[in-house]
Amino acid sequence: MQAAVVPEAGADFEVVEREVPEPAPGEVRISVDACGICHSDVYAKEGTNPVVSYPRVPGHEVAGHVDAVGDAVDTWEVGDRVGVGWHGGHCSTCDQCRQGNFLQCENGEITGLSYDGGYAEYMTAPSEALAKIPESLDAAAAAPLLCAGVTTFNALRNSDANVGDLVAVQGVGGLGHLGIQYAHAAGFETAAISRTPEKESLAKELGADHFINAAETDAGQRLQELGGADVVLATAPSSDAISSIVSGIGVDGSVVVVGVPGEPVEVSAQQLVQNRGAVEGWASGHARDSQDTLEFSSLRDIAPEIETYPLEDVDEAYGQMIENEARFRAVLEL
């Protein structure tokens, strides 16, 4: 098989020929149809996560179909359409797993970091890490939903927002353009916040009821004029932008951070106290969360905007993502 390998931390990709892996007991082999390129793949490319060993095949937005099953696997069959996201498996025995918090598993694995991911024609994964892909979803469109999709969908559905509440999506990019669609489909009054006025028409097409140009308007003040946001989904990884939007939440409102900035986020304790507000974070989700995301996306015709590349153009695709030039998700088709 062909695979895009990072031979050592910080090295360039090498597209090499490898033996097709055999699934171990409890594992499934996936014939990869498409794999999204996510900014978190930087951890594998640059070696900034201690779980990574080299050589490593990155990729945790994997859409494909079951090619073979290992011993003791009875939940999947050859031919099943499946996806694998960031959550690459859990132990089922630690305290967090016993409480159902599989994403917080003390021994959890990360697809494309703990083991080889989807920048290859085949990969293996623990059976509990797989999500079923509806037949109506194209593989290339489904792939980013395994990370960007489940992150925004899961954060919103686990928030305190109710139908009709004001939900603001900060950032109209790889995460935000999906967050707007999910917020609209869930019945929220949806506001899109961006410093790029050219994105207004797209935001409205995706379902935003309001567009706030943060380059010319105090976004927090504008949200207060709309009644105060019940939830602000912070998708753009900017500490300053996140800090500035806290003033826009209403009573019992919250800023939910899903786009992780490199610097600390400063907030006014007085603002939080006055509004009984909160700034919190949300990670993506486990396999069932991913499957829920895929099924809801199919039901409501929600899809990412993608640019596709063949495996041999992995350097270009990764570069487009790093330079924030992709609109909005880069996907390898295999």
Side-chain angles (χ1 to χ4, degrees):
M1 71 171 188
Q2 296 292 307
V5 177
V6 181
E8 60 183 12
D12 292 336
F13 287 105
E14 295 179 0
V15 178
V16 301
E17 188 172 288
R18 279 187 165 189
E19 292 291 328
V20 175
E22 291 296 329
E27 290 186 343
V28 168
R29 184 169 69 206
I30 301 167
S31 177
V32 180
D33 296 318
C35 184
I37 295 180
C38 177
H39 197 275
S40 296
D41 292 340
V42 169
Y43 295 131
K45 181 71 163 56
E46 304 301 332
T48 51
N49 189 306
V51 307
V52 184
S53 60
Y54 295 90
R56 176 62 72 225
V57 177
H60 61 269
E61 295 183 347
V62 186
H65 56 276
V66 175
D67 178 71
V69 298
D71 292 340
V73 174
D74 55 12
T75 52
W76 303 102
E77 297 180 353
V78 172
D80 287 346
R81 298 191 73 216
V82 296
V84 185
W86 175 264
H87 176 62
H90 52 269
C91 70
S92 298
T93 59
C94 71
D95 286 344
Q96 291 300 324
C97 281
R98 293 182 67 189
Q99 297 177 60
N101 298 323
F102 300 125
L103 197 63
Q104 284 72 42
C105 173
E106 297 167 14
N107 306 297
E109 295 185 294
I110 303 172
T111 311
L113 273 70
S114 305
Y115 57 83
D116 286 339
Y119 288 22
E121 292 179 315
Y122 295 90
M123 64 168 286
T124 58
S127 62
E128 76 271 12
L130 273 60
K132 184 177 181 180
I133 297 179
E135 291 298 328
S136 61
L137 290 181
D138 175 76
L145 301 180
L146 275 303
C147 185
V150 66
T151 296
T152 50
F153 173 79
N154 219 18
L156 287 172
R157 73 167 176 171
N158 283 282
S159 74
D160 293 328
N162 294 310
V163 173
D165 284 350
L166 177 62
V167 169
V169 179
Q170 174 255 338
V172 185
L175 289 169
H177 87 289
L178 287 167
I180 292 169
Q181 293 180 73
Y182 290 128
H184 171 72
F188 302 134
E189 181 183 357
T190 305
I193 302 170
S194 175
R195 296 184 61 84
T196 307
E198 292 79 16
K199 290 184 177 180
E200 179 174 3
S201 59
L202 173 64
K204 294 290 184 66
E205 290 174 11
L206 295 175
D209 301 293
H210 314 281
F211 181 83
I212 300 173
N213 179 0
E216 298 180 355
T217 304
D218 184 321
Q221 180 179 330
R222 177 62 183 134
L223 287 176
Q224 289 297 341
E225 292 171 357
L226 293 171
D230 295 278
V231 169
V232 176
L233 186 67
T235 72
S238 165
S239 298
D240 290 342
I242 296 170
S243 297
S244 69
I245 207 63
V246 176
S247 62
I249 60 176
V251 175
D252 294 325
S254 61
V255 175
V256 181
V257 180
V258 294
V260 182
E263 300 296 328
V265 175
E266 296 184 3
V267 300
S268 166
Q270 182 175 352
Q271 286 179 339
L272 299 181
V273 169
Q274 287 176 336
N275 276 2
R276 298 197 303 254
V279 177
E280 56 193 83
W282 190 268
S284 55
H286 51 67
R288 181 65 243 190
D289 296 322
S290 292
Q291 188 163 320
D292 290 346
T293 302
L294 293 164
E295 290 172 351
F296 185 80
S297 300
S298 174
L299 180 68
R300 291 290 178 254
D301 294 324
I302 293 172
E305 294 208 0
I306 62 173
E307 296 178 358
T308 60
Y309 300 83
L311 184 63
E312 58 265 28
D313 290 343
V314 61
D315 282 310
E316 179 185 355
Y318 183 85
Q320 287 288 96
M321 179 277 295
I322 285 292
E323 297 299 326
N324 200 28
E325 295 294 331
R327 188 178 172 97
F328 285 103
R329 308 294 295 188
V331 178
L332 297 173
E333 288 190 306
L334 295 99

